[in-house]
Amino acid sequence: MTYTNKKILVCGMGISGIAAANLLLRHGAAITLCDLNPEPKVDKELLAHPSISTYFGKNPDDILDKHDMLVLSPGIPCDLPFVVAAKAMGMPVWGEVELAYRHSKAPIIGITGTNGKTTVTSLVYDIVKLAHPSSVLVGNIGIPFCDMVETLDESDAFIVAEISSFQLETIDSFAPKISAVLNMTPDHLNRHKTMEAYVEAKERIFKNQGVDDICVLNFTNSYTKAMASKTKAEVIFFNQSTKDELVLPVEDIPIPGNHNLENVLAAIAICKAAGISDHIIRQGIMAFKAVEHRLEFVKELGGVRYYNDSKATNIDSTIKAIQAFNSPIILIAGGQDKDLDFNDLVKYFPENVKRLIAVGETADALIQTCKAHSYFDTEQANTMKDAVHIASLAAKKGDIVLLSPACASYDMFDNFEQRGRVFKGFVHELS
């Protein structure tokens, strides 16, 4: 596929936008890079390319009609006026995932859902790579699809992709060979507005699949169970309450928590759909280590264990994290407000959480919700350093200090990865 003489507007200079621009350059496009930041972090070599122009510091409303196509980064909402205008003009509006798909030769395993995406995608990749060593890991996990897609042929490899709802909003023909929707709980409602719209965005992962494709769904989640009637693909359910065959004993699963049992079941279903043998699946699961920022053990100090679960950016994810432990928990939570209701989270505190240390934009809302449930073991911290210090003073031998924010990170940090690494840094400074 070539883009010779095509003028393409690439909006958003994050890693996916840069990767999309580089792929387009390799195929002859003339590109305008656009970002609201007047000075985005863009490689000087890319800026100096003769086929590159820039439009930084504002949205591209004034230059839209000078372009043939719009490539949109996932962080940019699709209801912005310039995006709506582009669609009204009949201009293709693609995301980086759609762009990469158009150049893909290898079969794709596409995994989405509210929680567990990164763990399941990483585990599936580890298993698939044992059978198909040339396979690659891409997508919302932090590796741009466009960077990897042209490194593969279709001979002996899979593309294992974590796909977010934001990325699915800008697909057009994207059709994975195997899709999976792990679960659905309220999240990103500040972007999608309603749960119905959020579910519809997730369903786009299988909208272009055909009868020869496979869709893996969670039987115990009402939203995903209902999706079975909406896809043309063959449906495979995973379900904790059914014992069809033994792949490995539960006690051999190396990552803690009932939610991780569900994640492993999902990975098994996906890998069996991909034709991977039980022996290889077992080998991959038993060798798997927890993903960074997902119930990641950091340190034990004075009999207190510290865990980094910074990737818990919604309420259901944090509920699962606190349910994964049998020890008293000192929970550090809070962050950017995503219009989530904390009542469902706080009702678990009396049984599971010894103390809440609230941080970030939602700290007040968290504490007020606690008071409404007559839970008063709370404290507010202004910084992550303060939160770690307060937690270390409150913790006794046998306790868990758990960072599991239930919120996005953008009020205090660039992303959840930075938040998790800052937390770990302060934990390692403790003595």
Side-chain angles (χ1 to χ4, degrees), residues 35-54:
D35 198 281
L36 276 179
N37 186 344
E39 297 181 353
K41 296 177 182 178
V42 182
D43 185 79
K44 292 181 180 178
E45 187 176 340
L46 178 61
L47 292 175
H49 195 285
S51 295
I52 290 284
S53 58
T54 61

Side-chain angles (χ1 to χ4, degrees), residues 288-345:
F288 186 70
K289 291 180 172 56
V291 176
E292 187 181 16
H293 313 299
R294 174 57 80 199
L295 283 183
E296 175 194 7
F297 175 71
V298 180
K299 183 179 184 177
E300 182 170 340
L301 186 65
V304 178
R305 289 174 291 158
Y306 292 79
Y307 284 85
N308 164 34
D309 195 42
S310 181
K311 201 174 190 303
T313 58
N314 60 66
I315 288 164
D316 190 61
S317 189
T318 296
I319 290 171
K320 288 175 177 173
I322 63 177
Q323 289 180 322
F325 299 102
N326 294 319
S327 303
I329 295 170
I330 296 170
L331 176 66
I332 301 173
Q336 186 188 44
D337 191 358
K338 295 198 290 182
D339 295 335
L340 301 179
D341 184 344
F342 293 118
N343 284 288
D344 286 344
L345 172 62

Side-chain angles (χ1 to χ4, degrees), residues 178-179 214-219 233-238 268-270 272-274:
I178 301 169
S179 69
I214 296 172
C215 179
V216 175
L217 298 171
N218 186 342
F219 187 80
E234 176 189 353
V235 172
I236 296 177
F237 284 116
F238 62 93
I268 291 171
I270 293 165
K272 288 174 80 70

Side-chain angles (χ1 to χ4, degrees), residues 408-425:
S409 57
Y410 303 115
D411 56 336
M412 297 170 68
F413 303 96
D414 292 341
N415 46 50
F416 74 82
E417 293 96 339
Q418 185 192 46
R419 176 170 62 188
R421 287 168 190 151
V422 167
F423 169 77
K424 291 191 290 181

Side-chain angles (χ1 to χ4, degrees), residues 117-228:
K117 293 188 299 297
T118 298
T119 296
V120 174
T121 304
S122 300
L123 178 53
V124 168
Y125 171 68
D126 283 2
I127 295 168
V128 166
K129 197 169 175 63
L130 291 173
H132 305 279
S134 298
S135 298
V136 297
L137 179 67
V138 302
N140 191 56
I141 204 159
I143 305 166
F145 199 165
C146 283
D147 278 350
M148 306 300 295
V149 67
E150 294 181 305
T151 67
L152 295 175
D153 59 29
E154 53 189 334
S155 58
D156 188 37
F158 280 94
I159 297 170
V160 183
E162 177 186 331
I163 312 292
S164 72
S165 60
F166 294 177
Q167 291 171 314
L168 287 167
E169 285 184 311
T170 51
I171 66 161
D172 179 42
S173 61
F174 175 74
K177 183 64 182 172
I178 301 169
S179 69
V181 188
L182 306 178
N183 47 63
M184 293 293 309
T185 59
D187 198 9
H188 302 299
L189 299 186
N190 57 334
R191 167 84 170 244
H192 294 294
K193 311 304 182 190
T194 66
M195 188 64 187
E196 291 72 21
Y198 178 43
V199 171
E200 286 173 7
K202 292 291 193 185
E203 290 174 344
R204 291 172 65 84
I205 197 166
F206 56 70
K207 78 163 197 168
N208 296 316
Q209 285 188 291
V211 294
D212 295 328
D213 299 321
I214 296 172
C215 179
V216 175
L217 298 171
N218 186 342
F219 187 80
T220 60
N221 182 275
S222 59
Y223 291 105
T224 55
K225 185 179 179 181
M227 291 177 185

Side-chain angles (χ1 to χ4, degrees), residues 91 130 175 278 367 378:
M91 184 184 296
L130 291 173
D278 286 0
I367 290 173
T378 65

Side-chain angles (χ1 to χ4, degrees), residues 388-406:
V388 171
H389 178 66
I390 294 167
S392 70
L393 294 177
K396 307 297 181 186
K397 184 176 181 180
D399 289 351
I400 301 285
V401 173
L402 172 65
L403 170 68
S404 191

